[in-house]
Amino acid sequence: MDPVSRILDSETLDSRPHKDSTADLQTQMGDMQITGGGDMLMDDYDVGDEKSDVAEITPDSSTDEPQEVLASDYDAMKARILPPVPDLEIQTETVFTWEIENYRSLTRKERSPKFECGGHPWRILLFPFGNNVDYASLYLEQAHEEEDKPPENWYACVQFTLCMWNKNDPANYICHTANHRFTAEESDWGFTRFNELRKMFAQQWDGTGRAMVENEAVNVTAYVRIYKDPTGVLWHNFINYNSKKETGMVGLRNQGATCYLNSLLQSLYFTNAFRKAIYQIPTENDTERKNSAWALQRLFYLLQTSEEAVSTQELTASFGWETRHIFEQQDVQELSRILMERMEERMKGTEAENALAKMLVGKMKTYISCIHVDYESSRIEDFWDIQLNVSGNKNLDDSFRDYIQVETMDGENKYFAEGHGLQDAKKGVIFESFPQVLHLQLKRFEYDINRDAMMKVNDRYEFPEVFDATPYLSEGADKSEPYLYQLHGVLVHSGDLTAGHYYAFLKPTVNGHFYRFDDDKVTRATLKEALEENFGGDYANMANGHAGVRNPYTRTLSTKRSMSAYMLVYIRKSREKDILLDAEEIETPAHLAKQLNEERAALEKKRKDREEQHLYLPISVVTEDAFKAFQGFDLTNWESDPSAPSTPQTYRVLRASTVADFTKTVAESLRLPAEQIRLWVMVNRQNKTIRPDQPLPDLDININEAHSRYSSRDKPFRFWVETAMSLESGKPPWPNVNPAPGVSPLVLIFIKYFNAEEQTLKGAGHIYMKKSSKVAEMIPAIQQLMGWSPGKDSMSISSASSSGLPPVSNSTTSAPSIQLFEEIKHSMIEPMKPKSTLQQAEIQDGDIVCFQKTLSEKESSAIASTGGYTDTREFYDYLLNRIVIRFIPKVATEHEESTFSLALSRKMSYDQYSAKVGEHLKVDPTHLRFSTVLSNTGKAKQPVRRNQGLTLSQTLMPAIGTYANSNQRPDALFYEVLDMSISELETKRNIRVHWLPEGVVKEEPLEILVPKNGVVEDLISPLQKKVNLSDEAVGKLRFYETHGCKIIKDLHPNSAFATISDFSTLFAELRPEEEDHPDDGDQLIDAFHFDKETSKTHGVPFRFVMKPGELFKDTKERLSKRTGIKGKQFEKLKFAVVQRSTYSRPTYLHDDDDLSMIATHPDDQLGLDHVNRTRLFPGKGDSIFIR
């Protein structure tokens, strides 16, 4: 291929407006992106006339070398400029030449005659004077006309070259090549900057001595090759791509960085036996988001039934993950193991018990076998997956041979066999059985000692489609059934340690194809894409001097593939039908389908309601019963819990329907005739209350007109329903609120009753009074309303029929003395003057009057002693400042009742709300401690200090601008029940002690309360209880103080805490036996851990016994026992003597050294040089977990 063609063939694939058109490269080379110049392709030329940001390609001038092939020699030219795409099957190809005459006389846009290729018409499109550029623009387009449309969903995968050449000098030509998926929507593709106009007519065209367009004539040849599409997505741009329609399967949406989770979930879902086992977990009564089994069942069912990609938000919420976990990449193997553990727990005691173990668990034997005597020590263990080394191995078989490699223990490393002494032995691992589904974790990430960091291993590593595991079984293993495994899944990582992407290739059926599951997109894949392209290693056919392929995630160039398999899933061939069950064999839980169908129906209803929203008007209605059930301001709370009896009922009413129709609807819901109810329009008053204003007079107008006439368009439409208990002559006896002139009008008054004994303030009903009536005249009406018999001082009132009140019950009680208050607004409750008229008191329709019994001094004292309110105004003030607080146990419990809510006053002090919580929990309130709640994480902040001057409101909602106000919930508190009172706690301080139960490899941080002026001895008893130490062991306790991972000093029982720095760390351990019984000459030396440089300390420092005359190889055995570090991990340690100075040089020790002879200075310490594992994954978050 000539240089021009080489450059153009690579560059023309980089199309910015159609970035997905490079799918041919993904088909051949995964996510490879080839770098090149700025040459661009362009389609949609008709739109391009108007657009300035069109895709373009700027070709180089013709070849610098002599042309050996003539443009008129079509076969030779095709071989040179249009080489076949590897691994793709050619369907058909053709060559067509368009002879153009009178070039300067051409119109702005010209089309060639049609030609046929693949059974469809094609033609060349030419913009002879450029498509808004100073270049001739040339395109290939499919030539179906309006009356001859291509078949539905038609497409053609075309590789083509357009070549312009001088008909009199065929050696004078210029060609450009491209690949494109032609569809009815993307019907053309080509080159906006095909050939520069000023050069086309120049006599010295690229040194040939002849112009490209000579005598107004030029030829354009189209070389068109159509390929068969092996996957259905060859060169697809994935615009409007429908995974379900194309593959019958759907993907999973990526929440942020959950592609690793998506690839694992798809793998498990298409392990059909696993899906069946998950469905067998009983979850009918578990509908909480924290149940991971229920959430996983729902996810699987949605994958099975949904038409579009499924979200994993419900599942990750059930795991207990927060937003930050969604954006952290985690280890797939670790996640897989934890998920299996949780599902195993859920399956216990169900029909699915042990289903996962039978499917996924194999057995391996770890052994040490003596060579010269008949002795073997071995143990058999279960495994869920196998981790295989990639580095140093070429393929899967090499890794298995490496895994079971036998180590010979001889010479100084002989094995001590009980009863036989030191013996030469063989040490290794062998498999006893492999599971039906074999999960292989490929160790693509390893620590690079030269770079001092974790790196991705991109070496080529091959794995087969069919794997024989028989050679790796022990001689005694049951081999009656072949251990042949069929590849089912390849989970792939593309990128490097710091940036990358996960996706999976899976084969859902026994005899089916592989599919690529890339988050929300599912596409058909070839066997080569699933296997060979994920082996890693160098790119094939990379030209010398090529800078490499750009990694799409790190944007760096590399000659090695960035995509490689990190997990393989094999299924035993003899059990494939048992694992890859038919869909009919997987029984879906009935409750899942029911729940999701109900949810879908509700969503559909919401969608329909939104579409029809303009046709309807929501109307809220307050009934007499709702008013009587309500405790608070006004007639109701318009935003309360819909299930509460005091909540107004909301109707969705057609705007075109009449008020009479709506009245009938309300009456039916109240089970009354429409004649027995009357609707009062409620209005927003200036004092921010909502009260009934007037009855709706005209029932024949429509709802929309009534809303416009009696309410504001920007305000909700609200009604109060008045009901009549009886009819007179077939009509309700409605009081006349609009009497004749000169007659005192009736006023509708709502009555509330404050019951001091029960501490309630609820609606009692309503009465009608004349405006000329005095306030005191309301008392008999209220007594009648309450069913109390009138006292001797009561005034006469109108009969029930004239007042609109229900008849009074025969069982009455004597009427107590009462006090009256008007509820003007939330913060204004005024006592009423008995001798004033209602008109003087400015009482109008819809006003609220509250009354209470007059209490004796004894009654008031009794109520006040329990924290109750005795005055209506005080109780209103409590309601004004009432807040419902959710109390959550700081230490989680399994009892749901441990979390509860209480209605409290914002003005309460610490002791007052502590008393309320103590009363609810039935504990001493002085032993309660509270903590505020972080709003972003839901975790506890610092405990609330007991300060009588600090109210509940100030605790929950500190002053704006303070740090405490920025991130805490205003409606929740954590609580904990202490072993001591808060007052006593204030005399204590919290000490954190790190307990070391097993050498230095494991530490348990413990919080212990001690007196502020206490000593170390005060730690002993609490520590003994927390870690369950015997009295004998307590005598061996040792406490020591460290800083910067080095020991500062031992702490004696009488050491005061005041002498310990706040920046120090305290450790506690049991003294080793060799310290309690030392030999002559034994000395203690401080030991610490460092990573290459002695200033880079880490880990837990410790004390160690030096024995004089002991070779260091023997010292290392004691060090292994002392630290708890064993096996290969211990073998990686290097040991050195280091002086206490921060920057001292280490003196490394050898096996024949004597530690006591080298560490002779008082400041000498023993250093353990090894990698600090806590810093290897700087971008990795907390360990993965599932709640």
Side-chain angles (χ1 to χ4, degrees), residues 6 43 126 228 281 283 298 399 452 559 607 614 620 651 732 789 869 899 911 1027 1099 1118 1153:
R6 262 203 307 274
D43 69 344
L126 170 66
K228 291 183 179 179
I281 301 175
T283 58
R298 283 172 61 90
S399 290
D452 187 25
T559 59
R607 184 195 63 78
H614 65 287
S620 298
Y651 297 85
S789 60
Y869 299 94
T899 298
D911 286 350
V1027 299
R1118 293 193 298 110
D1153 286 335

PDB file of all heavy atoms in Angstrom, residues 6 43 126 228 281 283 298 399 452 559 607 614 620 651 732 789 869 899 911 1027 1099 1118 1153:
ATOM      1  N   ARG A   6      -1.987   4.399   3.078  1.00  0.00           N
ATOM      2  CA  ARG A   6      -1.778   3.935   4.457  1.00  0.00           C
ATOM      3  C   ARG A   6      -2.286   4.962   5.452  1.00  0.00           C
ATOM      4  O   ARG A   6      -2.997   4.662   6.387  1.00  0.00           O
ATOM      5  CB  ARG A   6      -0.294   3.673   4.700  1.00  0.00           C
ATOM      6  CG  ARG A   6       0.115   2.215   4.559  1.00  0.00           C
ATOM      7  CD  ARG A   6       1.379   1.926   5.329  1.00  0.00           C
ATOM      8  NE  ARG A   6       2.460   2.849   4.992  1.00  0.00           N
ATOM      9  CZ  ARG A   6       3.305   2.687   3.979  1.00  0.00           C
ATOM     10  NH1 ARG A   6       3.185   1.642   3.188  1.00  0.00           N
ATOM     11  NH2 ARG A   6       4.269   3.561   3.767  1.00  0.00           N
ATOM     12  N   ASP A  43     -21.138  12.604   7.054  1.00  0.00           N
ATOM     13  CA  ASP A  43     -22.343  12.149   6.382  1.00  0.00           C
ATOM     14  C   ASP A  43     -23.392  13.234   6.530  1.00  0.00           C
ATOM     15  O   ASP A  43     -23.119  14.335   6.983  1.00  0.00           O
ATOM     16  CB  ASP A  43     -22.821  10.804   6.944  1.00  0.00           C
ATOM     17  CG  ASP A  43     -23.344  10.937   8.350  1.00  0.00           C
ATOM     18  OD1 ASP A  43     -23.060  11.974   8.979  1.00  0.00           O
ATOM     19  OD2 ASP A  43     -24.023  10.003   8.803  1.00  0.00           O
ATOM     20  N   LEU A 126     -21.407  14.007  -5.427  1.00  0.00           N
ATOM     21  CA  LEU A 126     -20.292  14.935  -5.590  1.00  0.00           C
ATOM     22  C   LEU A 126     -20.760  16.368  -5.360  1.00  0.00           C
ATOM     23  O   LEU A 126     -21.777  16.790  -5.916  1.00  0.00           O
ATOM     24  CB  LEU A 126     -19.702  14.808  -7.005  1.00  0.00           C
ATOM     25  CG  LEU A 126     -18.673  15.870  -7.418  1.00  0.00           C
ATOM     26  CD1 LEU A 126     -17.400  15.743  -6.585  1.00  0.00           C
ATOM     27  CD2 LEU A 126     -18.353  15.752  -8.912  1.00  0.00           C
ATOM     28  N   LYS A 228     -20.445  -9.595   5.447  1.00  0.00           N
ATOM     29  CA  LYS A 228     -21.454 -10.221   6.302  1.00  0.00           C
ATOM     30  C   LYS A 228     -21.222  -9.757   7.741  1.00  0.00           C
ATOM     31  O   LYS A 228     -20.077  -9.605   8.172  1.00  0.00           O
ATOM     32  CB  LYS A 228     -21.355 -11.744   6.209  1.00  0.00           C
ATOM     33  CG  LYS A 228     -21.779 -12.297   4.854  1.00  0.00           C
ATOM     34  CD  LYS A 228     -21.732 -13.824   4.855  1.00  0.00           C
ATOM     35  CE  LYS A 228     -22.185 -14.375   3.493  1.00  0.00           C
ATOM     36  NZ  LYS A 228     -22.131 -15.858   3.467  1.00  0.00           N
ATOM     37  N   ILE A 281     -35.285 -18.720  47.803  1.00  0.00           N
ATOM     38  CA  ILE A 281     -35.213 -18.104  49.137  1.00  0.00           C
ATOM     39  C   ILE A 281     -36.577 -17.485  49.446  1.00  0.00           C
ATOM     40  O   ILE A 281     -37.084 -16.680  48.666  1.00  0.00           O
ATOM     41  CB  ILE A 281     -34.121 -17.029  49.186  1.00  0.00           C
ATOM     42  CG1 ILE A 281     -32.762 -17.627  48.837  1.00  0.00           C
ATOM     43  CG2 ILE A 281     -34.071 -16.373  50.566  1.00  0.00           C
ATOM     44  CD1 ILE A 281     -31.648 -16.599  48.735  1.00  0.00           C
ATOM     45  N   THR A 283     -39.038 -14.938  50.491  1.00  0.00           N
ATOM     46  CA  THR A 283     -39.003 -13.496  50.783  1.00  0.00           C
ATOM     47  C   THR A 283     -40.393 -12.867  50.712  1.00  0.00           C
ATOM     48  O   THR A 283     -40.511 -11.659  50.551  1.00  0.00           O
ATOM     49  CB  THR A 283     -38.074 -12.780  49.779  1.00  0.00           C
ATOM     50  OG1 THR A 283     -38.552 -13.032  48.448  1.00  0.00           O
ATOM     51  CG2 THR A 283     -36.636 -13.251  49.896  1.00  0.00           C
ATOM     52  N   ARG A 298     -35.528  -9.507  42.925  1.00  0.00           N
ATOM     53  CA  ARG A 298     -36.210  -8.497  42.099  1.00  0.00           C
ATOM     54  C   ARG A 298     -35.338  -8.113  40.907  1.00  0.00           C
ATOM     55  O   ARG A 298     -35.848  -7.948  39.796  1.00  0.00           O
ATOM     56  CB  ARG A 298     -36.528  -7.265  42.952  1.00  0.00           C
ATOM     57  CG  ARG A 298     -37.715  -7.450  43.872  1.00  0.00           C
ATOM     58  CD  ARG A 298     -37.861  -6.287  44.833  1.00  0.00           C
ATOM     59  NE  ARG A 298     -38.083  -5.027  44.172  1.00  0.00           N
ATOM     60  CZ  ARG A 298     -39.270  -4.514  43.862  1.00  0.00           C
ATOM     61  NH1 ARG A 298     -40.364  -5.208  44.138  1.00  0.00           N
ATOM     62  NH2 ARG A 298     -39.391  -3.341  43.289  1.00  0.00           N
ATOM     63  N   SER A 399      -0.657 -22.113  34.742  1.00  0.00           N
ATOM     64  CA  SER A 399      -1.052 -21.584  36.052  1.00  0.00           C
ATOM     65  C   SER A 399      -1.454 -22.706  37.001  1.00  0.00           C
ATOM     66  O   SER A 399      -1.135 -22.671  38.191  1.00  0.00           O
ATOM     67  CB  SER A 399      -2.209 -20.589  35.899  1.00  0.00           C
ATOM     68  OG  SER A 399      -1.782 -19.418  35.272  1.00  0.00           O
ATOM     69  N   ASP A 452       7.621  -0.212  43.166  1.00  0.00           N
ATOM     70  CA  ASP A 452       7.105  -0.023  44.523  1.00  0.00           C
ATOM     71  C   ASP A 452       5.619   0.349  44.480  1.00  0.00           C
ATOM     72  O   ASP A 452       5.166   1.280  45.127  1.00  0.00           O
ATOM     73  CB  ASP A 452       7.902   1.049  45.251  1.00  0.00           C
ATOM     74  CG  ASP A 452       7.490   1.151  46.725  1.00  0.00           C
ATOM     75  OD1 ASP A 452       6.991   0.142  47.256  1.00  0.00           O
ATOM     76  OD2 ASP A 452       7.667   2.232  47.319  1.00  0.00           O
ATOM     77  N   THR A 559       1.715  -0.373  23.485  1.00  0.00           N
ATOM     78  CA  THR A 559       1.721  -1.422  22.463  1.00  0.00           C
ATOM     79  C   THR A 559       1.048  -2.683  22.975  1.00  0.00           C
ATOM     80  O   THR A 559       0.854  -3.629  22.230  1.00  0.00           O
ATOM     81  CB  THR A 559       3.156  -1.740  22.041  1.00  0.00           C
ATOM     82  OG1 THR A 559       3.904  -2.160  23.197  1.00  0.00           O
ATOM     83  CG2 THR A 559       3.823  -0.528  21.424  1.00  0.00           C
ATOM     84  N   ARG A 607     -47.979   8.007  35.083  1.00  0.00           N
ATOM     85  CA  ARG A 607     -47.664   8.562  33.772  1.00  0.00           C
ATOM     86  C   ARG A 607     -48.918   9.075  33.072  1.00  0.00           C
ATOM     87  O   ARG A 607     -48.940  10.179  32.518  1.00  0.00           O
ATOM     88  CB  ARG A 607     -46.994   7.493  32.906  1.00  0.00           C
ATOM     89  CG  ARG A 607     -46.532   7.981  31.535  1.00  0.00           C
ATOM     90  CD  ARG A 607     -46.223   6.837  30.616  1.00  0.00           C
ATOM     91  NE  ARG A 607     -47.399   6.031  30.331  1.00  0.00           N
ATOM     92  CZ  ARG A 607     -48.346   6.378  29.468  1.00  0.00           C
ATOM     93  NH1 ARG A 607     -48.255   7.513  28.797  1.00  0.00           N
ATOM     94  NH2 ARG A 607     -49.391   5.589  29.268  1.00  0.00           N
ATOM     95  N   HIS A 614     -53.888  18.286  32.947  1.00  0.00           N
ATOM     96  CA  HIS A 614     -54.546  19.542  32.597  1.00  0.00           C
ATOM     97  C   HIS A 614     -56.062  19.409  32.542  1.00  0.00           C
ATOM     98  O   HIS A 614     -56.784  20.410  32.581  1.00  0.00           O
ATOM     99  CB  HIS A 614     -54.018  20.032  31.247  1.00  0.00           C
ATOM    100  CG  HIS A 614     -54.359  19.118  30.106  1.00  0.00           C
ATOM    101  ND1 HIS A 614     -53.752  17.889  29.923  1.00  0.00           N
ATOM    102  CD2 HIS A 614     -55.272  19.246  29.098  1.00  0.00           C
ATOM    103  CE1 HIS A 614     -54.256  17.306  28.849  1.00  0.00           C
ATOM    104  NE2 HIS A 614     -55.175  18.099  28.322  1.00  0.00           N
ATOM    105  N   SER A 620     -59.328  19.241  47.777  1.00  0.00           N
ATOM    106  CA  SER A 620     -59.210  18.680  49.126  1.00  0.00           C
ATOM    107  C   SER A 620     -60.461  19.014  49.923  1.00  0.00           C
ATOM    108  O   SER A 620     -60.971  20.142  49.859  1.00  0.00           O
ATOM    109  CB  SER A 620     -57.980  19.242  49.835  1.00  0.00           C
ATOM    110  OG  SER A 620     -56.798  18.884  49.135  1.00  0.00           O
ATOM    111  N   TYR A 651     -59.692  14.585  46.055  1.00  0.00           N
ATOM    112  CA  TYR A 651     -60.414  14.053  44.898  1.00  0.00           C
ATOM    113  C   TYR A 651     -59.770  14.617  43.631  1.00  0.00           C
ATOM    114  O   TYR A 651     -59.346  15.780  43.588  1.00  0.00           O
ATOM    115  CB  TYR A 651     -61.889  14.454  44.934  1.00  0.00           C
ATOM    116  CG  TYR A 651     -62.651  13.910  46.120  1.00  0.00           C
ATOM    117  CD1 TYR A 651     -62.635  14.585  47.344  1.00  0.00           C
ATOM    118  CD2 TYR A 651     -63.399  12.747  46.012  1.00  0.00           C
ATOM    119  CE1 TYR A 651     -63.340  14.096  48.436  1.00  0.00           C
ATOM    120  CE2 TYR A 651     -64.114  12.260  47.094  1.00  0.00           C
ATOM    121  CZ  TYR A 651     -64.076  12.927  48.301  1.00  0.00           C
ATOM    122  OH  TYR A 651     -64.772  12.442  49.379  1.00  0.00           O
ATOM    123  N   PRO A 732     -82.742  19.582  53.857  1.00  0.00           N
ATOM    124  CA  PRO A 732     -81.944  19.741  55.079  1.00  0.00           C
ATOM    125  C   PRO A 732     -82.227  21.090  55.721  1.00  0.00           C
ATOM    126  O   PRO A 732     -82.448  22.087  55.019  1.00  0.00           O
ATOM    127  CB  PRO A 732     -80.506  19.667  54.578  1.00  0.00           C
ATOM    128  CG  PRO A 732     -80.575  20.118  53.150  1.00  0.00           C
ATOM    129  CD  PRO A 732     -81.915  19.660  52.650  1.00  0.00           C
ATOM    130  N   SER A 789     -75.186  18.423  80.825  1.00  0.00           N
ATOM    131  CA  SER A 789     -76.451  19.052  81.239  1.00  0.00           C
ATOM    132  C   SER A 789     -76.182  20.472  81.674  1.00  0.00           C
ATOM    133  O   SER A 789     -75.191  20.747  82.344  1.00  0.00           O
ATOM    134  CB  SER A 789     -77.094  18.257  82.388  1.00  0.00           C
ATOM    135  OG  SER A 789     -76.213  18.233  83.507  1.00  0.00           O
ATOM    136  N   TYR A 869     -49.655  20.410  80.688  1.00  0.00           N
ATOM    137  CA  TYR A 869     -50.008  21.822  80.567  1.00  0.00           C
ATOM    138  C   TYR A 869     -51.417  22.008  81.118  1.00  0.00           C
ATOM    139  O   TYR A 869     -52.310  21.196  80.864  1.00  0.00           O
ATOM    140  CB  TYR A 869     -49.945  22.275  79.111  1.00  0.00           C
ATOM    141  CG  TYR A 869     -48.573  22.123  78.510  1.00  0.00           C
ATOM    142  CD1 TYR A 869     -48.234  20.965  77.790  1.00  0.00           C
ATOM    143  CD2 TYR A 869     -47.614  23.117  78.641  1.00  0.00           C
ATOM    144  CE1 TYR A 869     -46.977  20.809  77.224  1.00  0.00           C
ATOM    145  CE2 TYR A 869     -46.350  22.970  78.082  1.00  0.00           C
ATOM    146  CZ  TYR A 869     -46.029  21.813  77.391  1.00  0.00           C
ATOM    147  OH  TYR A 869     -44.783  21.672  76.844  1.00  0.00           O
ATOM    148  N   THR A 899     -36.128   1.492  67.778  1.00  0.00           N
ATOM    149  CA  THR A 899     -36.203   2.784  67.092  1.00  0.00           C
ATOM    150  C   THR A 899     -37.636   3.291  67.209  1.00  0.00           C
ATOM    151  O   THR A 899     -38.581   2.569  66.881  1.00  0.00           O
ATOM    152  CB  THR A 899     -35.812   2.638  65.611  1.00  0.00           C
ATOM    153  OG1 THR A 899     -34.459   2.192  65.522  1.00  0.00           O
ATOM    154  CG2 THR A 899     -35.952   3.953  64.882  1.00  0.00           C
ATOM    155  N   ASP A 911     -32.717  17.719  80.249  1.00  0.00           N
ATOM    156  CA  ASP A 911     -33.345  16.847  81.243  1.00  0.00           C
ATOM    157  C   ASP A 911     -34.801  16.560  80.906  1.00  0.00           C
ATOM    158  O   ASP A 911     -35.302  15.458  81.182  1.00  0.00           O
ATOM    159  CB  ASP A 911     -33.257  17.500  82.638  1.00  0.00           C
ATOM    160  CG  ASP A 911     -31.847  17.434  83.208  1.00  0.00           C
ATOM    161  OD1 ASP A 911     -31.007  16.723  82.604  1.00  0.00           O
ATOM    162  OD2 ASP A 911     -31.583  18.095  84.227  1.00  0.00           O
ATOM    163  N   VAL A1027     -12.587  -8.581  76.825  1.00  0.00           N
ATOM    164  CA  VAL A1027     -11.910  -9.630  76.033  1.00  0.00           C
ATOM    165  C   VAL A1027     -11.959 -10.984  76.731  1.00  0.00           C
ATOM    166  O   VAL A1027     -11.354 -11.952  76.261  1.00  0.00           O
ATOM    167  CB  VAL A1027     -10.449  -9.234  75.730  1.00  0.00           C
ATOM    168  CG1 VAL A1027     -10.407  -7.965  74.927  1.00  0.00           C
ATOM    169  CG2 VAL A1027      -9.620  -9.102  76.991  1.00  0.00           C
ATOM    170  N   GLY A1099       2.438  -0.536  60.921  1.00  0.00           N
ATOM    171  CA  GLY A1099       2.162  -1.735  61.697  1.00  0.00           C
ATOM    172  C   GLY A1099       2.276  -1.534  63.203  1.00  0.00           C
ATOM    173  O   GLY A1099       2.359  -0.417  63.709  1.00  0.00           O
ATOM    174  N   ARG A1118      11.445 -17.933  66.195  1.00  0.00           N
ATOM    175  CA  ARG A1118      10.772 -17.325  67.353  1.00  0.00           C
ATOM    176  C   ARG A1118      10.045 -16.045  66.948  1.00  0.00           C
ATOM    177  O   ARG A1118       8.976 -15.731  67.476  1.00  0.00           O
ATOM    178  CB  ARG A1118      11.783 -17.037  68.467  1.00  0.00           C
ATOM    179  CG  ARG A1118      12.377 -18.283  69.102  1.00  0.00           C
ATOM    180  CD  ARG A1118      13.131 -17.978  70.395  1.00  0.00           C
ATOM    181  NE  ARG A1118      14.268 -17.082  70.182  1.00  0.00           N
ATOM    182  CZ  ARG A1118      14.301 -15.814  70.625  1.00  0.00           C
ATOM    183  NH1 ARG A1118      13.270 -15.312  71.293  1.00  0.00           N
ATOM    184  NH2 ARG A1118      15.364 -15.058  70.410  1.00  0.00           N
ATOM    185  N   ASP A1153      23.989 -14.684  61.449  1.00  0.00           N
ATOM    186  CA  ASP A1153      24.298 -13.603  62.393  1.00  0.00           C
ATOM    187  C   ASP A1153      23.727 -13.912  63.768  1.00  0.00           C
ATOM    188  O   ASP A1153      22.772 -14.696  63.914  1.00  0.00           O
ATOM    189  CB  ASP A1153      23.709 -12.279  61.898  1.00  0.00           C
ATOM    190  CG  ASP A1153      24.483 -11.705  60.725  1.00  0.00           C
ATOM    191  OD1 ASP A1153      25.674 -12.036  60.596  1.00  0.00           O
ATOM    192  OD2 ASP A1153      23.880 -10.948  59.923  1.00  0.00           O
TER     193      ASP A1153
END
